[in-house]
Amino acid sequence: MGKDDISQSMYKKYSNLSDKTLDSVLESINLDGDIHKTQIPPLDQWQPQRCGKMDLCIHANHTWWHEGTQIQRDALIQLFSHILCKEESKYYLKTPVEKIEIEVEDAPLCIRGVEKSSQAEQTWIYFHTTDGDTVVLGEKNRMIMRAYKGEMRPYVYIRYGLYALIPRSVFFHLIEMGELIENDQLQTELVLQSGDFCLHLTA
C-alpha cells in the first residue's frame, strides 16, 4: 500500500468523527475499539474550517479530565491523543472538518520506555510513548530541558508540535545509555549518541 493509499484509508477511518460533537464521541468510545493499533493520522494534511473549544484538560500528571470528571477509559484517551496537535501555542483535537481547542497543563504525552538498538556498528535510541508511538532520538526528535513549576524536566519532541515528558525512572535509564561529562562552564552534560546524531543535554 502506498503513502497516498494509507492517507486515504486514514481519512476514511477518522472522517466519521466529523459528523459528531466531541461530547458524543465521549459517549460512544466503541467507535474505534482497536484505535491503539492504528497509525497516527495525517493531521498535517487536514485543514478544517470549523473551530471551537471544549472543557477538556490534560493535567500535568497525564490524566485527562472532561468537564471536571476524569476520563477513565484508555481507548478514549488513545483516540484523542492520536488526533491531538499543537498549532501556534494552542492544543487542538483535529478531524478532517473541525478542530477543537483543549487545555494542556504541561506536556500532553509521556514516555513509557527507552531502548537502544544496534545495527551495522551504529546505535540508535528509541523512545516509546504511552499512546503507542515510537520515535528515534535525532535532529527531528530532539530532547530538551525546560522548567515546570520551578522544576527542570526532560522532554522529547514527538509529532505535530507535541512533546512527551520523560519520567524520572525512564530518564535514569537514559543516563545509563549515555555519558556524563563536565563542560567548560563546569556544568554537567549528558551526552547521548543516536546514529549520527550526538546530543549534549545540560540540566
Side-chain angles (χ1 to χ4, degrees), residues 13-76:
K13 184 175 186 63
Y14 285 89
S15 62
N16 57 359
L17 290 177
S18 65
D19 61 355
K20 299 174 178 282
T21 65
L22 290 179
D23 285 338
S24 69
V25 176
L26 285 168
E27 297 171 359
S28 56
I29 185 56
N30 291 331
L31 173 69
D32 271 303
D34 63 343
I35 188 67
H36 61 286
K37 300 178 182 178
T38 68
Q39 298 180 29
I40 304 300
L43 303 186
D44 56 335
Q45 298 178 24
W46 296 351
Q47 304 299 325
Q49 299 300 314
R50 289 189 293 168
C51 299
K53 189 173 184 178
M54 68 180 299
D55 185 3
L56 178 64
C57 179
I58 305 174
H59 287 197
N61 63 359
H62 300 101
T63 56
W64 292 56
W65 293 72
H66 176 250
E67 296 183 347
T69 300
Q70 184 178 351
I71 299 174
Q72 300 287 350
R73 304 193 59 178
D74 291 340
L76 181 57

Side-chain angles (χ1 to χ4, degrees), residues 121-143:
E121 300 183 354
Q122 277 195 313
T123 299
W124 289 267
I125 296 175
Y126 291 83
F127 292 95
H128 305 288
T129 68
T130 51
D131 73 337
D133 204 356
T134 297
V135 299
V136 181
L137 178 65
E139 189 67 37
K140 178 181 177 182
N141 299 99
R142 286 177 170 267
M143 279 181 59

Side-chain angles (χ1 to χ4, degrees), residues 5-202:
D5 294 330
I6 293 175
S7 296
Q8 287 296 321
S9 174
M10 294 305 300
Y11 180 91
K12 291 177 181 178
K13 184 175 186 63
Y14 285 89
S15 62
N16 57 359
L17 290 177
S18 65
D19 61 355
K20 299 174 178 282
T21 65
L22 290 179
D23 285 338
S24 69
V25 176
L26 285 168
E27 297 171 359
S28 56
I29 185 56
N30 291 331
L31 173 69
D32 271 303
D34 63 343
I35 188 67
H36 61 286
K37 300 178 182 178
T38 68
Q39 298 180 29
I40 304 300
L43 303 186
D44 56 335
Q45 298 178 24
W46 296 351
Q47 304 299 325
Q49 299 300 314
R50 289 189 293 168
C51 299
K53 189 173 184 178
M54 68 180 299
D55 185 3
L56 178 64
C57 179
I58 305 174
H59 287 197
N61 63 359
H62 300 101
T63 56
W64 292 56
W65 293 72
H66 176 250
E67 296 183 347
T69 300
Q70 184 178 351
I71 299 174
Q72 300 287 350
R73 304 193 59 178
D74 291 340
L76 181 57
I77 293 174
Q78 288 274 14
L79 171 63
F80 279 1
S81 67
H82 284 185
I83 58 172
L84 180 65
C85 64
K86 184 178 182 182
E87 298 177 356
E88 298 181 351
S89 77
K90 293 183 179 181
Y91 291 91
Y92 298 95
L93 298 176
K94 195 174 184 181
T95 75
V97 297
E98 65 181 350
K99 61 182 183 180
I100 306 297
E101 183 183 346
I102 69 167
E103 181 183 355
V104 177
E105 289 185 347
D106 184 23
L109 304 176
C110 186
I111 297 299
R112 63 174 175 80
V114 61
E115 64 177 337
K116 269 188 173 182
S117 177
S118 299
Q119 185 177 4
E121 300 183 354
Q122 277 195 313
T123 299
W124 289 267
I125 296 175
Y126 291 83
F127 292 95
H128 305 288
T129 68
T130 51
D131 73 337
D133 204 356
T134 297
V135 299
V136 181
L137 178 65
E139 189 67 37
K140 178 181 177 182
N141 299 99
R142 286 177 170 267
M143 279 181 59
I144 63 170
M145 298 290 295
R146 72 183 185 201
Y148 178 75
K149 292 188 174 180
E151 177 189 6
M152 294 301 295
R153 292 180 165 189
Y155 303 82
V156 61
Y157 181 78
I158 304 298
R159 60 180 187 265
Y160 301 132
L162 306 180
Y163 279 85
L165 173 68
I166 303 173
R168 187 181 301 270
S169 60
V170 177
F171 189 66
F172 286 157
H173 190 192
L174 194 62
I175 290 175
E176 296 174 355
M177 296 181 177
E179 179 185 5
L180 291 175
I181 65 171
E182 190 174 88
N183 62 23
D184 295 338
Q185 288 75 42
L186 301 182
Q187 296 173 310
T188 300
E189 287 187 353
L190 174 62
V191 181
L192 294 168
Q193 188 74 39
S194 180
D196 295 327
F197 180 75
C198 185
L199 176 70
H200 290 250
L201 189 68
T202 303

